[in-house]
Amino acid sequence: MPLFVVDAIQMFRTRYVVDCREAEHAGDTVTMNEAEQFSQMDLGERILTTKEITYKQFHKMNKSLEEGHGDGTHYQAESGSPWMGEKIIYVVNYDQDTKE
């Protein structure tokens, strides 16, 4: 079966309470990571892209992830589980009959 990479974003609404003179200062405080979170709400996951890849491409991605660059670039670090190798691939089981 082919492999597919699905890129998704997990979104949260994070709330802070900041005591300051102006709303702009409150926003700046949060932007500078100076305030503690008051609460957090999961807004769900959104699919960005889905593309077919080969096992060779998967192994290249995995090697890149070991080096801290999951997308193959040296611009943004990414974390994951490269030591799991192909065990991390989820296999859809089409053999289970869900009808009764």
Side-chain angles (χ1 to χ4, degrees):
M1 283 194 293
L3 291 178
F4 293 91
V5 171
V6 180
D7 288 326
I9 293 178
Q10 183 74 29
M11 293 187 285
F12 294 86
R13 190 271 292 138
T14 307
R15 181 170 283 166
Y16 303 85
V17 179
V18 181
D19 181 356
C20 60
R21 292 182 189 155
E22 300 175 23
E24 183 178 355
H25 297 166
D28 291 345
T29 300
V30 171
T31 299
M32 298 302 293
N33 295 316
E34 295 172 352
E36 294 293 326
Q37 292 182 18
F38 173 75
S39 66
Q40 190 178 85
M41 180 183 0
D42 184 1
L43 300 176
E45 192 168 52
R46 303 292 183 260
I47 303 296
L48 296 177
T49 61
T50 303
K51 70 177 184 177
E52 187 172 346
I53 64 167
T54 64
Y55 273 86
K56 184 176 180 179
Q57 290 169 311
F58 167 76
H59 290 290
K60 184 177 179 183
M61 284 173 41
N62 202 52
K63 176 68 174 161
S64 183
L65 190 58
E66 280 183 30
E67 297 166 357
H69 312 289
D71 63 356
T73 69
H74 296 283
Y75 302 113
Q76 180 117 9
E78 185 172 345
S79 64
S81 305
W83 60 89
M84 291 188 67
E86 290 186 18
K87 292 178 188 175
I88 197 73
I89 298 171
Y90 181 83
V91 178
V92 175
N93 185 352
Y94 292 103
D95 294 332
Q96 289 183 341
D97 187 13
T98 56
K99 297 178 185 175
E100 296 187 23

